[in-house]
């Protein structure tokens, strides 16, 4: 019997397992073998670019997560011996066409209300800073503190760090929870095995709702591409470049990630229309992308709750901890979610930052 | 010692081998294992869509090839027991945007001069015939006799037919020819083996020029995509639809081939720019393509001679027969090239249609 069983081996599940094990818990992770949304994700850490008007508490959580990342990288690289792929590139949030100027300026005002003022830059000023931007870029904001991490490198590092800290990762798919009265005592696998634990962490992404109905969750499809640099070429931009319709995330090892659609769909088919639209917008932002090699197209399914906010914390059912529903912000939020899980497991009082994200808000509404 | 060694296992090499073996020759094919341009090709049989102004003799050859295809399909299906994937779909050659109207009408006049008059159709008339065409389609021509064949199905059938007729296909890459005075007596493989034969057929596509310098040849890159129908959907169009910038070839088994670029390059990298441009034009022609799944992107290298015309026939060096240089028309021309090779091997006088395509025109020029 473990202290903790984590259902799901995506970035959040692995990070929660590593943090809990690091604090002394005996941890088992159930890996259902399906590629998690984080495997497809670009890994942008964008609390200012991605905030929405209503999201004061969410913005605070995103900012806290983004500030936590650099020190977490140090700890993870020390434990794992792996490069986590953290790149302090900064981000340009731009209007790719004149129609995008007004909504982008409104976004700047939202950020000013929630946080600090952003200074509008003209297209020419942005091109002086980042000459790879296209002539259609009509202005925008420089987000000096918005960086990126490579989710695939981070996941490889997390697996290594879990291994070092004695986390046991089992190739098993959870089918149900072990319910004992008002208590969850672990998970039952599709093979019928019972994996018992004091605490059960639900980090299975959108498929968590297949295992427990207490947090309604739906998949939101995202399509994305990876482009490769031909030999001898350098990256066309150094900053992450984002508009309302696409983002371009350059990686120092010679890859550019282009994304990402937001579709109410549960399939992972790559469609001609999404590829066309993303390449059209991305190559308007950064024209030299056209000469890069299209090395991968993929689709992932993000976990979304009805209010679009994550479900983090203890369920009213004892022994059950939620760590999912991060929607488009899974990589960004993973450190604060993982720390929250490790804190709950260790019996610490919950962080006030997390009050708005209790998983029990859906049960109360129902 | 064989009667014939064919260098190259693309559609032309395999078809020449099959036709020669069918006429009684003992045939060996050298297959270097590289995917031939025909594997990537769409397989449109377009003597009227693809003709250029200067190409009177070429047009006649293309028309003859297109007329030969249906009976060749019957013979090949009988010999192989395979479906060759011939689809009598007809072709719409259209202006995808207003700027394309004038050049397309000039193309119609060229065809009228070389062959028979084409009747201009309005966009509305074309959409009545083919409701899947997009609203931007501004007019064009209906090519009732331009059909298509699936190059992959055809190649599988050719391999089976070769097998039935006793052709030996060796996994060997030809490095050089065996020269005996003014005579070629077979090929030398990269392993140093000598494959001797009375006649040596050069059907190695653009890499023929690595083996013999007598016909200068360069690769011309073409990028292409294959889209798949989601379950329960039907094809968005039934005709092949072509504009100056892209083509859309629907296959009854639920695939749509979208192509193709023409690039002076020798690599087979798929680029973001080509994928974007092709999808942009293709989905302007047939908007419903956007909902199809992008299942494959690929690039092939077409064999082009300096004058853009094929090299078909006996070299002045005895024992050497050229069967390559078909550029964008390899699948279309394969039956007439294969028949020509089989005729030469059998000692028949060359067809007058082929007089303009002698491989010796380059040696004389040099």
């Amino acid at each position: 019997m473990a202290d903790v069983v984590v259902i799901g081996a995506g970035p959040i599940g692995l990070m929660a397992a590593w943090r809990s094990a690091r604090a002394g818990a005996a941890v088992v992770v159930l890996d259902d073998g399906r590629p998690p949304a984080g495997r497809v994700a670009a890994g942008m850490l964008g609390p200012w670019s991605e905030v929405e008007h209503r999201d004061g508490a969410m913005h605070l959580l995103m900012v806290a997560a983004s500030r936590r990342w650099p020190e977490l990288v140090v700890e993870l690289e020390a434990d794992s011996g792996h490069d986590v792929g953290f790149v302090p590139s900064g981000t340009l949030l731009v209007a790719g066409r004149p129609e995008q100027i007004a909504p982008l300026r409104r976004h700047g005002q939202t950020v000013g209300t929630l946080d600090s003022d952003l200074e509008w830059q003209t297209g020419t000023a942005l091109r002086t800073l980042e000459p790879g931007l296209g002539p259609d870029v009509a202005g925008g904001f420089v987000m000096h503190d918005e960086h990126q991490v490579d989710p695939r490198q981070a996941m490889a590092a997390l697996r290594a760090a879990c291994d070092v800290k004695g986390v046991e990762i089992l190739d098993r798919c959870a089918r149900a929870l072990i319910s004992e009265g008002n208590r969850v005592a672990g998970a039952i696998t599709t093979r019928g095995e019972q994996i018992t634990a004091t605490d059960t962490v639900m980090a299975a992404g959108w498929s968590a709702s297949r295992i427990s109905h207490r947090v309604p969750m739906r998949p939101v499809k995202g399509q994305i591409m990876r482009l490769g640099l031909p030999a001898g070429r350098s990256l066309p931009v150094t900053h992450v470049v984002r508009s309302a319709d696409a983002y371009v995330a350059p990686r120092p090892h010679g890859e550019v990630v282009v994304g990402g659609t937001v579709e109410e769909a549960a399939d992972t088919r790559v469609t001609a229309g999404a590829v066309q639209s993303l390449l059209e917008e991305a190559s308007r932002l950064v024209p030299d992308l056209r000469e890069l090699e299209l090395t991968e197209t993929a689709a992932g399914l993000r976990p979304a709750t009805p209010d679009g906010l994550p479900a983090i914390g203890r369920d009213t059912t004892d022994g059950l901890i939620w760590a999912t529903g991060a929607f488009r912000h899974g990589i960004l939020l993973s450190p604060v979610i993982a720390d929250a899980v490790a804190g709950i497991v260790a019996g610490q009082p919950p962080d006030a930052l997390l009050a708005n994200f209790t998983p029990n808000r859906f049960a109360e509404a129902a």
Side-chain angles (χ1 to χ4, degrees), chain A:
Chain A
M1 172 150 166
D3 296 321
V4 183
V5 57
V6 178
I7 303 176
I12 291 171
L14 291 174
M15 202 179 289
W18 167 58
R19 298 309 294 175
S20 302
R22 214 169 187 267
V27 184
V28 173
V29 174
L30 303 185
D31 178 0
D32 67 7
R34 284 192 291 248
R39 176 142 191 90
V40 168
M44 293 173 304
L45 310 175
W48 297 277
S49 293
E50 293 169 14
V51 70
E52 290 178 37
H53 190 60
R54 61 186 170 80
D55 285 348
M58 181 66 172
H59 180 62
L60 290 178
L61 189 70
M62 290 162 84
V63 170
S66 127
R67 301 233 157 98
R68 178 78 177 93
W69 257 106
E71 67 187 24
L72 183 122
V73 166
V74 171
E75 293 162 3
L76 181 52
E77 293 190 340
D79 276 10
S80 68
H82 281 231
D83 179 355
V84 173
F86 178 80
V87 187
S89 46
T91 293
L92 308 178
L93 182 65
V94 306
R97 290 163 297 177
E99 311 89 273
Q100 294 180 349
I101 292 176
L104 181 56
R105 280 183 173 273
R106 281 198 297 278
H107 181 84
Q109 287 162 0
T110 299
V111 173
T113 311
L114 293 172
D115 196 314
S116 51
D117 285 337
L118 296 174
E119 193 189 345
W120 180 260
Q121 306 285 335
T122 63
T124 304
L126 292 172
R127 275 182 292 277
T128 305
L129 177 66
E130 180 61 90
L133 292 180
D136 290 347
V137 170
F141 300 111
V142 181
M143 311 296 204
H144 294 287
D145 295 328
E146 284 197 358
H147 304 313
Q148 54 170 329
V149 67
D150 185 323
R152 294 176 183 183
Q153 287 183 258
M155 283 175 66
L158 284 167
R159 282 187 175 262
C162 280
D163 194 46
V164 166
K165 295 295 172 191
V167 173
E168 195 179 0
I169 301 180
L170 302 178
D171 292 330
R172 294 287 189 285
C173 179
R175 180 176 59 76
L177 301 175
I178 305 172
S179 289
E180 296 177 350
N182 190 41
R183 217 192 110 61
V184 165
I188 303 170
T189 72
T190 49
R191 299 185 190 179
E193 299 147 309
Q194 302 210 356
I195 314 290
T196 56
T198 310
D199 282 309
T200 301
V201 178
M202 190 69 94
W206 75 272
S207 53
S209 61
R210 291 178 176 172
I211 302 166
S212 162
H213 297 295
R214 295 198 30 97
V215 175
M217 200 112 54
R218 69 184 197 284
V220 178
K221 178 177 173 180
Q223 300 191 52
I224 199 168
M225 274 165 280
R226 284 175 162 80
L227 311 182
L229 281 182
R233 302 280 300 247
S234 52
L235 288 165
V237 285
T238 57
H239 295 80
V240 171
V241 181
R242 311 180 64 152
S243 76
D245 294 337
Y247 54 74
V248 174
R251 308 262 194 240
H253 64 82
E255 183 180 75
V256 178
V257 186
V258 172
T261 63
V262 181
E263 303 164 63
E264 292 290 340
D267 68 89
T268 53
R269 284 194 296 269
V270 172
T271 62
V275 169
Q276 180 194 336
S277 304
L278 290 174
L279 286 177
E280 208 172 308
E281 178 74 359
S283 66
R284 183 171 20 239
L285 300 177
V286 182
D288 284 356
L289 287 184
R290 291 197 182 96
E291 293 167 49
L292 270 58
E293 186 175 3
L294 179 62
T295 51
E296 183 184 336
T297 57
L301 297 175
R302 312 173 183 97
T305 64
D307 60 15
L309 299 174
I312 311 169
R314 276 219 179 273
D315 198 287
T316 51
T317 307
D318 288 342
L320 181 59
I321 302 167
W322 289 84
T324 185
F327 191 30
R328 304 179 64 187
H329 317 291
I331 300 293
L332 169 62
L333 294 183
S334 53
V336 293
I337 299 178
D339 286 342
V341 168
I344 293 168
V345 165
Q348 294 162 10
D351 193 315
L353 264 178
L354 299 170
N356 283 53
F357 308 108
T358 168
N360 305 308
R361 66 190 188 275
F362 303 107
E364 286 153 15

PDB file of all heavy atoms in Angstrom, chain A residues 232-247:
ATOM      1  N   GLY A 232      22.305  24.342 -41.158  1.00  0.00           N
ATOM      2  CA  GLY A 232      23.006  25.596 -41.428  1.00  0.00           C
ATOM      3  C   GLY A 232      22.152  26.841 -41.290  1.00  0.00           C
ATOM      4  O   GLY A 232      22.644  27.956 -41.433  1.00  0.00           O
ATOM      5  N   ARG A 233      20.851  26.669 -41.052  1.00  0.00           N
ATOM      6  CA  ARG A 233      19.978  27.832 -40.875  1.00  0.00           C
ATOM      7  C   ARG A 233      19.838  28.142 -39.400  1.00  0.00           C
ATOM      8  O   ARG A 233      19.935  27.250 -38.554  1.00  0.00           O
ATOM      9  CB  ARG A 233      18.572  27.530 -41.436  1.00  0.00           C
ATOM     10  CG  ARG A 233      18.542  27.145 -42.881  1.00  0.00           C
ATOM     11  CD  ARG A 233      18.621  28.381 -43.751  1.00  0.00           C
ATOM     12  NE  ARG A 233      17.491  29.255 -43.472  1.00  0.00           N
ATOM     13  CZ  ARG A 233      16.530  29.502 -44.339  1.00  0.00           C
ATOM     14  NH1 ARG A 233      16.553  28.946 -45.520  1.00  0.00           N
ATOM     15  NH2 ARG A 233      15.545  30.322 -44.030  1.00  0.00           N
ATOM     16  N   SER A 234      19.587  29.417 -39.097  1.00  0.00           N
ATOM     17  CA  SER A 234      19.318  29.754 -37.706  1.00  0.00           C
ATOM     18  C   SER A 234      17.823  30.043 -37.533  1.00  0.00           C
ATOM     19  O   SER A 234      17.085  30.208 -38.515  1.00  0.00           O
ATOM     20  CB  SER A 234      20.185  30.924 -37.257  1.00  0.00           C
ATOM     21  OG  SER A 234      20.042  31.982 -38.154  1.00  0.00           O
ATOM     22  N   LEU A 235      17.383  30.098 -36.295  1.00  0.00           N
ATOM     23  CA  LEU A 235      15.968  30.323 -36.004  1.00  0.00           C
ATOM     24  C   LEU A 235      15.516  31.670 -36.567  1.00  0.00           C
ATOM     25  O   LEU A 235      16.226  32.666 -36.444  1.00  0.00           O
ATOM     26  CB  LEU A 235      15.738  30.297 -34.493  1.00  0.00           C
ATOM     27  CG  LEU A 235      15.828  28.913 -33.830  1.00  0.00           C
ATOM     28  CD1 LEU A 235      15.944  29.050 -32.319  1.00  0.00           C
ATOM     29  CD2 LEU A 235      14.618  28.048 -34.198  1.00  0.00           C
ATOM     30  N   PRO A 236      14.331  31.737 -37.151  1.00  0.00           N
ATOM     31  CA  PRO A 236      13.878  32.991 -37.753  1.00  0.00           C
ATOM     32  C   PRO A 236      13.525  34.060 -36.720  1.00  0.00           C
ATOM     33  O   PRO A 236      13.516  35.243 -37.051  1.00  0.00           O
ATOM     34  CB  PRO A 236      12.661  32.587 -38.569  1.00  0.00           C
ATOM     35  CG  PRO A 236      12.200  31.287 -37.994  1.00  0.00           C
ATOM     36  CD  PRO A 236      13.409  30.621 -37.428  1.00  0.00           C
ATOM     37  N   VAL A 237      13.209  33.661 -35.495  1.00  0.00           N
ATOM     38  CA  VAL A 237      12.952  34.604 -34.397  1.00  0.00           C
ATOM     39  C   VAL A 237      13.526  34.000 -33.118  1.00  0.00           C
ATOM     40  O   VAL A 237      13.723  32.787 -33.030  1.00  0.00           O
ATOM     41  CB  VAL A 237      11.442  34.895 -34.184  1.00  0.00           C
ATOM     42  CG1 VAL A 237      10.885  35.804 -35.260  1.00  0.00           C
ATOM     43  CG2 VAL A 237      10.638  33.590 -34.110  1.00  0.00           C
ATOM     44  N   THR A 238      13.776  34.863 -32.134  1.00  0.00           N
ATOM     45  CA  THR A 238      14.246  34.342 -30.842  1.00  0.00           C
ATOM     46  C   THR A 238      13.146  34.406 -29.776  1.00  0.00           C
ATOM     47  O   THR A 238      13.142  33.599 -28.862  1.00  0.00           O
ATOM     48  CB  THR A 238      15.478  35.128 -30.346  1.00  0.00           C
ATOM     49  OG1 THR A 238      15.130  36.507 -30.251  1.00  0.00           O
ATOM     50  CG2 THR A 238      16.645  34.981 -31.309  1.00  0.00           C
ATOM     51  N   HIS A 239      12.230  35.372 -29.894  1.00  0.00           N
ATOM     52  CA  HIS A 239      11.104  35.451 -28.961  1.00  0.00           C
ATOM     53  C   HIS A 239      10.001  34.473 -29.362  1.00  0.00           C
ATOM     54  O   HIS A 239       9.857  34.137 -30.534  1.00  0.00           O
ATOM     55  CB  HIS A 239      10.469  36.845 -28.982  1.00  0.00           C
ATOM     56  CG  HIS A 239      11.350  37.936 -28.488  1.00  0.00           C
ATOM     57  ND1 HIS A 239      12.322  38.506 -29.273  1.00  0.00           N
ATOM     58  CD2 HIS A 239      11.397  38.565 -27.296  1.00  0.00           C
ATOM     59  CE1 HIS A 239      12.935  39.458 -28.573  1.00  0.00           C
ATOM     60  NE2 HIS A 239      12.406  39.508 -27.374  1.00  0.00           N
ATOM     61  N   VAL A 240       9.205  34.088 -28.389  1.00  0.00           N
ATOM     62  CA  VAL A 240       7.901  33.509 -28.711  1.00  0.00           C
ATOM     63  C   VAL A 240       7.066  34.638 -29.316  1.00  0.00           C
ATOM     64  O   VAL A 240       7.081  35.769 -28.810  1.00  0.00           O
ATOM     65  CB  VAL A 240       7.210  32.950 -27.447  1.00  0.00           C
ATOM     66  CG1 VAL A 240       5.771  32.550 -27.743  1.00  0.00           C
ATOM     67  CG2 VAL A 240       7.993  31.759 -26.883  1.00  0.00           C
ATOM     68  N   VAL A 241       6.360  34.350 -30.403  1.00  0.00           N
ATOM     69  CA  VAL A 241       5.508  35.350 -31.055  1.00  0.00           C
ATOM     70  C   VAL A 241       4.083  34.800 -31.065  1.00  0.00           C
ATOM     71  O   VAL A 241       3.854  33.671 -31.506  1.00  0.00           O
ATOM     72  CB  VAL A 241       5.977  35.625 -32.504  1.00  0.00           C
ATOM     73  CG1 VAL A 241       5.086  36.681 -33.158  1.00  0.00           C
ATOM     74  CG2 VAL A 241       7.435  36.058 -32.522  1.00  0.00           C
ATOM     75  N   ARG A 242       3.161  35.599 -30.534  1.00  0.00           N
ATOM     76  CA  ARG A 242       1.776  35.147 -30.443  1.00  0.00           C
ATOM     77  C   ARG A 242       0.833  36.202 -31.001  1.00  0.00           C
ATOM     78  O   ARG A 242       1.039  37.393 -30.793  1.00  0.00           O
ATOM     79  CB  ARG A 242       1.365  34.937 -28.975  1.00  0.00           C
ATOM     80  CG  ARG A 242       2.318  34.127 -28.172  1.00  0.00           C
ATOM     81  CD  ARG A 242       1.843  33.973 -26.732  1.00  0.00           C
ATOM     82  NE  ARG A 242       0.595  33.220 -26.691  1.00  0.00           N
ATOM     83  CZ  ARG A 242       0.210  32.479 -25.649  1.00  0.00           C
ATOM     84  NH1 ARG A 242       0.957  32.431 -24.556  1.00  0.00           N
ATOM     85  NH2 ARG A 242      -0.913  31.822 -25.692  1.00  0.00           N
ATOM     86  N   SER A 243      -0.203  35.738 -31.690  1.00  0.00           N
ATOM     87  CA  SER A 243      -1.324  36.630 -32.017  1.00  0.00           C
ATOM     88  C   SER A 243      -2.588  35.938 -31.522  1.00  0.00           C
ATOM     89  O   SER A 243      -2.516  34.860 -30.923  1.00  0.00           O
ATOM     90  CB  SER A 243      -1.400  36.879 -33.528  1.00  0.00           C
ATOM     91  OG  SER A 243      -1.933  35.748 -34.176  1.00  0.00           O
ATOM     92  N   ALA A 244      -3.727  36.535 -31.805  1.00  0.00           N
ATOM     93  CA  ALA A 244      -4.976  35.908 -31.371  1.00  0.00           C
ATOM     94  C   ALA A 244      -5.200  34.574 -32.080  1.00  0.00           C
ATOM     95  O   ALA A 244      -5.906  33.712 -31.564  1.00  0.00           O
ATOM     96  CB  ALA A 244      -6.150  36.853 -31.657  1.00  0.00           C
ATOM     97  N   ASP A 245      -4.581  34.390 -33.242  1.00  0.00           N
ATOM     98  CA  ASP A 245      -4.899  33.212 -34.052  1.00  0.00           C
ATOM     99  C   ASP A 245      -3.820  32.137 -34.096  1.00  0.00           C
ATOM    100  O   ASP A 245      -4.074  31.029 -34.584  1.00  0.00           O
ATOM    101  CB  ASP A 245      -5.220  33.642 -35.489  1.00  0.00           C
ATOM    102  CG  ASP A 245      -6.499  34.465 -35.562  1.00  0.00           C
ATOM    103  OD1 ASP A 245      -7.330  34.333 -34.648  1.00  0.00           O
ATOM    104  OD2 ASP A 245      -6.651  35.235 -36.520  1.00  0.00           O
ATOM    105  N   ALA A 246      -2.624  32.446 -33.640  1.00  0.00           N
ATOM    106  CA  ALA A 246      -1.556  31.438 -33.711  1.00  0.00           C
ATOM    107  C   ALA A 246      -0.395  31.862 -32.834  1.00  0.00           C
ATOM    108  O   ALA A 246      -0.292  33.023 -32.431  1.00  0.00           O
ATOM    109  CB  ALA A 246      -1.061  31.264 -35.147  1.00  0.00           C
ATOM    110  N   TYR A 247       0.461  30.912 -32.522  1.00  0.00           N
ATOM    111  CA  TYR A 247       1.704  31.243 -31.851  1.00  0.00           C
ATOM    112  C   TYR A 247       2.862  30.522 -32.529  1.00  0.00           C
ATOM    113  O   TYR A 247       2.675  29.510 -33.211  1.00  0.00           O
ATOM    114  CB  TYR A 247       1.665  30.900 -30.355  1.00  0.00           C
ATOM    115  CG  TYR A 247       1.289  29.476 -30.044  1.00  0.00           C
ATOM    116  CD1 TYR A 247       2.184  28.428 -30.245  1.00  0.00           C
ATOM    117  CD2 TYR A 247       0.035  29.176 -29.541  1.00  0.00           C
ATOM    118  CE1 TYR A 247       1.843  27.124 -29.954  1.00  0.00           C
ATOM    119  CE2 TYR A 247      -0.319  27.870 -29.256  1.00  0.00           C
ATOM    120  CZ  TYR A 247       0.592  26.846 -29.465  1.00  0.00           C
ATOM    121  OH  TYR A 247       0.240  25.554 -29.194  1.00  0.00           O
TER     122      TYR A 247
END
